[in-house]
Every structure is written in C-alpha cells, then in structure tokens.
Amino acid sequence: MAPRADSIELSEWELRDVTSFTAGCARTSLGLFEDEHPDDPRSREAIEAAEAFADGGRVGELMRRLDLALRG
C-alpha cells in the first residue's frame, strides 16, 4: 500500500530525532510555564518522557509516562 500524499513516514530513529528536537524546544519555555503553574508537574513529566523515548526508551513506556503526566 502506497503512503498517502499528505503523510510522512519516519523510521523509529527519525521519530526519536524529531521527538528530541521537540522536547528541547519545549524545555526552553518550561520555566515560564512553571512560574505561572508551580504545582503542575505535567509539562515537565511529559518533556522528560519524550526525552526518555528520544534517548532510546521503549514506545510503550513513553505512552504510559505521557498518559500519567497528562492525567496529573
């Protein structure tokens, strides 16, 4: 089956690279969020989960950690 024209297929390692870049971007503004919401750990936990995946963690572990982070 051919990929859709409006989709991009990434290998697992390409997805890890994109996740690493995205987590790095999010981390740069994390302090601003935490200044306004010091008792809300979800953003930090989501970034840490993304970084763990980018560093070679399992996809299932990423999904479990993100789910926990977002449910707070």
Side-chain angles (χ1 to χ4, degrees), residues 1-3 8 13-14 16 21-22 24-25 28 31 34 37 43-45 47 52 56-57 62 70:
M1 175 181 231
I8 298 173
W13 288 104
E14 289 170 325
R16 290 178 191 278
F21 176 79
T22 304
C25 291
T28 64
E34 290 181 329
H37 306 280
S43 293
R44 176 174 294 279
E45 290 168 356
I47 291 169
L62 168 72
L70 294 176

Side-chain angles (χ1 to χ4, degrees), residues 2-9:
R4 293 182 357 214
D6 63 344
S7 67
I8 298 173
E9 292 194 25

Side-chain angles (χ1 to χ4, degrees), residues 32-49:
L32 296 172
F33 177 82
E34 290 181 329
D35 286 347
E36 293 295 318
H37 306 280
D39 297 325
D40 188 349
R42 295 176 297 169
S43 293
R44 176 174 294 279
E45 290 168 356
I47 291 169
E48 289 172 353

Side-chain angles (χ1 to χ4, degrees), residues 8-31:
I8 298 173
E9 292 194 25
L10 300 174
S11 72
E12 182 176 321
W13 288 104
E14 289 170 325
L15 182 57
R16 290 178 191 278
D17 286 342
V18 170
T19 302
S20 177
F21 176 79
T22 304
C25 291
R27 187 167 283 284
T28 64
S29 61
L30 182 60

